[in-house]
Amino acid sequence: MLLTELFNKAADIVLKTQNSGSIYAKVDIGGRELGFKLGKWPKDSSDPKSNWTFTFVEYGDEDEDDEFDLYDEGETYNVTGSGNEFEVFATAKKFLELAIKKVKPDVIHFEADKTFGENRAKLYTRMIKRWSPPGYHHEIHPTEESDYY
């Protein structure tokens, strides 16, 4: 399978805005509830076009509200091994495209944690080299624990 096929089948997304100005969406993929977020960094920044950070998580059973909180109990950033990774990454790309159109950030940051090995960082690096949103360029800052984009 080609890397371009990775982006073909995204789940339906409805963007929502938190009081903080962050953009988020909750999506069901293969019976798993995933959250995608593009949030201001630092959180208290008054500049709406400054730095933003992108993240996504799998929600746990404890999540009852519709808000996206990176620190809720039960959420995981770990590789779950539960499948549908192509739809997950296609949905992440679609989410970013929609969120970028909405807030037009100057800079977007994200991280590939290497806790469970280098595969996630290698995939993220290939993805960002192949797909950088129009008007953006990419930089990769590798460390032993994580790669930062």
Side-chain angles (χ1 to χ4, degrees), residues 2 8 18 21 31 38-39 65 67 86 93 103 118 124 128 137:
L2 299 174
N8 287 344
Q18 292 179 302
L38 187 64
D65 62 1
E67 290 282 307
F86 296 114
K93 179 182 180 280
V103 297
E118 302 258 339
Y124 287 8
I128 198 65
H137 72 278

Side-chain angles (χ1 to χ4, degrees), residues 65-129:
D65 62 1
D66 195 38
E67 290 282 307
F68 186 113
D69 184 352
L70 298 179
Y71 306 105
D72 276 350
E73 291 295 318
E75 293 177 357
T76 180
Y77 297 91
N78 299 340
V79 176
T80 63
S82 53
N84 300 316
E85 59 273 7
F86 296 114
E87 188 176 3
V88 170
F89 285 111
T91 303
K93 179 182 180 280
K94 181 178 176 181
F95 170 84
L96 277 171
E97 290 170 340
L98 294 171
I100 287 168
K101 284 181 184 176
K102 188 168 184 161
V103 297
K104 299 171 183 59
D106 290 329
V107 178
I108 302 168
H109 301 273
F110 66 98
E111 172 186 357
D113 185 350
K114 297 179 182 176
T115 303
F116 298 101
E118 302 258 339
N119 288 341
R120 181 182 291 190
K122 289 177 184 177
L123 174 61
Y124 287 8
T125 297
R126 285 194 307 271
M127 288 174 60
I128 198 65
K129 285 181 178 179

Side-chain angles (χ1 to χ4, degrees), residues 19-90:
N19 290 336
S20 65
S22 296
I23 307 300
Y24 74 102
K26 280 189 173 184
V27 178
D28 183 278
I29 297 177
R32 297 166 35 217
E33 188 172 33
L34 303 177
F36 298 87
K37 181 177 183 177
L38 187 64
K40 293 179 190 177
W41 188 258
K43 290 180 184 181
D44 60 357
S45 173
S46 61
D47 180 1
K49 293 187 69 170
S50 62
N51 294 315
W52 291 66
T53 187
F54 170 67
T55 191
F56 63 96
V57 299
E58 180 174 8
Y59 285 98
D61 294 335
E62 294 83 8
D63 294 301
E64 297 177 8
D65 62 1
D66 195 38
E67 290 282 307
F68 186 113
D69 184 352
L70 298 179
Y71 306 105
D72 276 350
E73 291 295 318
E75 293 177 357
T76 180
Y77 297 91
N78 299 340
V79 176
T80 63
S82 53
N84 300 316
E85 59 273 7
F86 296 114
E87 188 176 3
V88 170
F89 285 111

